[in-house]
């Protein structure tokens, strides 16, 4: 437990963190990778360059400071981060390194304003918060290893099948090299994938949603090739998987993780909304519902640029033909002439509230959505405007967690 004096000091720093949080975390990562370059084997380098990781850490630190007197209120966020840490292989002995580096970054950015009492309070608070993470993650590591078909760390999988789904998305069917059973998972979860890329100084680990229902003898991931765009470099892992990984090749995987999962006990209608490659966890949920709850009403809504990049369209429409309780709807931002000829979409443009109301019978349902951050902000804004209770709204960020409370910006990419 934290002392009351420590709690008061931490809470007094909230305005400072709101103003300088991202500057502190940028300094933190610079120091961390300069002094401990081995940690570059764990972090997504692209997220560092794009600023998403420092922003996510700044938000987490701000939330911890804001709720330091009732840390139990941020336990859901702790568990969400802990799932990612377990999937990446973060170890307890790395937490002191992070803590010391964070204190140094705070001192470097705030200068004389970072007094000894403030630094001491943050050291004490970090120790308590780190202990919570270490405890939660220890349970997750143990559960991942003990479950039937589970394992510890990374396990070798072979690419059993490689299937092109669209011009930018390819699926990989993965089976364990040792021939043993594989761990079950909940629809919506992901695995960490570590390819061995020739010529790379550091390893690169990426987390990809499982895109099929559980209970299969394989895991399927469906990967979007991230091309260079607007100054953003191409994705190292996605490009390597698309261009160089073939059937028979080896990838290393950690056991499934993640807290963005389908609630299978809820019998109300379920609305699955996706943008671009955000459809991967949605298809896992859709396949699971089709197999295990065919009588449950499902509304599947997908936004894409056009039919050329729309993955798994035939699979989804095929399910709709078999299941009367499933309705599917597609929204294309820039449809091709072929899309228009085939009447391949319901709406041209973006998903907005009037469109949602036209295809979703009523708001008494469970809503799940995933896609690019601007897309998710737009969907979240629409659901709030409709009055959908927060408890019925579920979403997943691909990469570091962000905020959906910023002004809505529509996107269907």
């Amino acid at each position: 437990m934290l002392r009351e004096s420590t709690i008061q000091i931490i809470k007094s720093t909230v305005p400072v963190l709101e103003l300088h949080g991202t500057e502190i975390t940028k300094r933190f990562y610079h120091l961390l990778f300069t002094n401990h370059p081995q940690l570059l084997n764990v972090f997504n380098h692209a997220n560092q360059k794009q600023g998403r990781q420092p922003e996510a850490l700044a938000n987490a630190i701000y939330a911890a400071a804001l709720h330091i007197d009732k840390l139990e209120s941020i336990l859901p966020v702790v568990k969400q981060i802990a799932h990612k840490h377990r999937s990446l292989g973060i170890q307890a002995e790395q937490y002191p390194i992070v803590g010391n580096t964070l204190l140094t970054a705070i001192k470097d950015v705030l200068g004389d304003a970072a007094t000894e009492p403030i630094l001491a309070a943050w050291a004490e608070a970090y120790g308590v918060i780190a202990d919570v993470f270490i405890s939660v993650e220890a349970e997750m590591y143990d559960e991942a290893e003990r479950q039937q078909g589970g394992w510890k760390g990374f396990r070798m999988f072979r690419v059993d099948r490689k299937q092109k789904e669209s011009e930018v998305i390819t699926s990989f069917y993965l089976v364990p090299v040792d021939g043993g059973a594989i761990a079950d998972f909940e629809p919506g979860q992901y695995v960490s994938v570590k390819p061995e890329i020739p010529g790379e100084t550091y390893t690169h680990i990426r987390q990809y949603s499982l895109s099929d229902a559980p209970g299969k003898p394989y895991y399927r991931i469906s990967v979007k090739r991230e091309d260079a765009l607007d100054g953003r470099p191409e994705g190292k892992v996605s490009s390597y998987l698309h261009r160089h990984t073939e059937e028979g090749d080896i990838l290393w995987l950690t056991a499934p993780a993640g807290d963005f999962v389908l609630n299978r006990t809820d019998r109300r209608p379920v609305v699955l909304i996706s943008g671009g490659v955000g459809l991967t966890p949605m298809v896992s949920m859709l396949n699971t519902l089709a197999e295990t709850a065919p009588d449950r009403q499902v509304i599947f809504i997908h936004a894409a640029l056009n039919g050329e990049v729309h993955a798994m369209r035939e699979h989804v429409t095929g399910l709709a033909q078999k299941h009367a309780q499933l309705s599917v709807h597609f929204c294309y931002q820039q449809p091709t002439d072929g899309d228009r000829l085939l009447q391949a979409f319901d709406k041209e443009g973006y998903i907005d509230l009037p469109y949602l109301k036209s295809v979703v019978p009523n708001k008494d349902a469970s809503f799940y959505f995933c896609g690019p951050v601007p897309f998710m902000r737009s969907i979240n804004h629409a659901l709030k405007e409709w009055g959908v209770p927060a408890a019925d709204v579920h979403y997943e960020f691909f990469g570091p967690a962000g905020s959906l409370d910023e002004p809505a910006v529509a996107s269907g990419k």
Side-chain angles (χ1 to χ4, degrees), residues 31-156:
L31 291 170
L32 186 69
F33 296 141
T34 299
N35 298 327
H36 305 278
Q38 73 276 11
L39 293 178
L40 284 165
N41 290 308
V42 176
F43 286 86
N44 184 321
H45 306 178
N47 287 333
Q48 294 295 331
K49 293 178 180 178
Q50 296 168 26
R52 292 188 64 191
Q53 194 73 54
E55 181 183 352
L57 179 59
N59 290 339
I61 294 173
Y62 176 78
L66 190 63
H67 301 285
I68 195 69
D69 53 344
K70 45 183 185 300
L71 286 175
E72 65 278 0
S73 66
I74 65 169
L75 190 58
V77 176
V78 169
K79 289 185 175 179
Q80 183 184 67
I81 297 173
H83 271 286
K84 291 184 179 292
H85 284 181
R86 198 278 292 161
S87 183
L88 291 169
I90 300 297
Q91 300 298 316
E93 55 267 24
Q94 293 170 328
Y95 275 91
I97 296 173
V98 169
N100 292 332
T101 306
L102 179 60
L103 291 177
T104 301
I106 291 173
K107 179 65 176 176
D108 286 353
V109 172
L110 300 185
D112 292 341
T115 63
E116 286 303 318
I118 286 177
L119 292 175
W122 266 105
E124 182 183 345
Y126 176 83
V128 171
I129 295 170
D131 285 344
V132 173
F133 272 100
I134 291 169
S135 175
V136 171
E137 288 163 20
E139 293 179 8
M140 290 182 176
Y141 278 113
D142 187 53
E143 181 182 355
E145 186 177 6
R146 285 190 297 103
Q147 65 179 313
Q148 184 176 2
W151 67 93
K152 180 179 181 180
F154 285 89
R155 182 178 175 186
M156 292 176 66

Side-chain angles (χ1 to χ4, degrees), residues 28-320:
F28 161 79
Y29 281 115
H30 173 76
L31 291 170
L32 186 69
F33 296 141
T34 299
N35 298 327
H36 305 278
Q38 73 276 11
L39 293 178
L40 284 165
N41 290 308
V42 176
F43 286 86
N44 184 321
H45 306 178
N47 287 333
Q48 294 295 331
K49 293 178 180 178
Q50 296 168 26
R52 292 188 64 191
Q53 194 73 54
E55 181 183 352
L57 179 59
N59 290 339
I61 294 173
Y62 176 78
L66 190 63
H67 301 285
I68 195 69
D69 53 344
K70 45 183 185 300
L71 286 175
E72 65 278 0
S73 66
I74 65 169
L75 190 58
V77 176
V78 169
K79 289 185 175 179
Q80 183 184 67
I81 297 173
H83 271 286
K84 291 184 179 292
H85 284 181
R86 198 278 292 161
S87 183
L88 291 169
I90 300 297
Q91 300 298 316
E93 55 267 24
Q94 293 170 328
Y95 275 91
I97 296 173
V98 169
N100 292 332
T101 306
L102 179 60
L103 291 177
T104 301
I106 291 173
K107 179 65 176 176
D108 286 353
V109 172
L110 300 185
D112 292 341
T115 63
E116 286 303 318
I118 286 177
L119 292 175
W122 266 105
E124 182 183 345
Y126 176 83
V128 171
I129 295 170
D131 285 344
V132 173
F133 272 100
I134 291 169
S135 175
V136 171
E137 288 163 20
E139 293 179 8
M140 290 182 176
Y141 278 113
D142 187 53
E143 181 182 355
E145 186 177 6
R146 285 190 297 103
Q147 65 179 313
Q148 184 176 2
W151 67 93
K152 180 179 181 180
F154 285 89
R155 182 178 175 186
M156 292 176 66
F157 278 71
R158 184 182 72 255
V159 178
D160 189 57
R161 181 153 59 103
K162 180 180 180 181
Q163 178 175 317
K164 184 177 180 180
E165 304 286 4
S166 77
E167 289 301 313
V168 295
I169 297 176
T170 294
S171 287
F172 299 84
Y173 293 74
L174 310 172
V175 297
V177 171
D178 59 25
I182 57 176
D184 200 6
F185 65 92
E186 288 298 316
Q189 289 191 305
Y190 55 81
V191 291
S192 282
V193 178
K194 182 175 68 172
E196 296 180 336
I197 305 178
E200 287 293 319
T201 303
Y202 300 103
T203 59
H204 295 271
I205 304 171
R206 297 293 184 271
Q207 293 167 329
Y208 293 111
S209 296
L210 294 160
S211 62
D212 204 349
K216 307 292 192 297
Y218 58 80
Y219 291 142
R220 185 179 74 180
I221 58 173
S222 301
V223 180
K224 179 187 176 186
R225 187 186 67 245
E226 297 292 348
D227 297 322
L229 180 67
D230 298 332
R232 181 190 69 195
E234 70 175 18
K236 283 186 180 292
V237 174
S238 68
S239 296
Y240 180 79
L241 292 174
H242 272 254
R243 295 170 184 160
H244 303 290
T245 303
E246 303 296 340
E247 293 176 1
D249 287 348
I250 299 299
L251 298 173
W252 294 82
L253 270 65
T254 55
D259 64 344
F260 174 67
V261 297
L262 176 68
N263 182 352
R264 300 201 229 180
T265 63
D266 188 349
R267 307 309 301 174
R268 294 178 303 159
V270 58
V271 184
L272 307 175
I273 310 172
S274 55
V277 76
L279 93 167
T280 52
M282 300 297 123
V283 170
S284 177
M285 294 181 184
L286 177 63
N287 288 354
T288 302
L289 289 163
E291 293 177 8
T292 64
D295 295 330
R296 185 175 176 184
Q297 185 179 13
V298 180
I299 299 96
F300 185 94
I301 307 169
H302 181 62
L305 187 66
N306 53 48
E308 293 179 356
V309 297
H310 183 175
M312 303 180 185
R313 176 190 171 89
E314 291 76 14
H315 170 73
V316 171
T317 55
L319 286 178

Side-chain angles (χ1 to χ4, degrees), residues 306-348:
N306 53 48
E308 293 179 356
V309 297
H310 183 175
M312 303 180 185
R313 176 190 171 89
E314 291 76 14
H315 170 73
V316 171
T317 55
L319 286 178
Q321 292 171 1
K322 297 176 183 177
H323 298 279
Q325 293 297 314
L326 168 62
S327 62
V328 299
H329 308 274
F330 304 130
C331 181
Y332 286 177
Q333 181 184 343
Q334 298 175 13
T336 64
D337 291 340
D339 294 331
R340 298 182 194 280
L341 182 64
L342 296 173
Q343 297 182 322
F345 56 96
D346 301 80
K347 183 180 189 297
E348 181 175 352

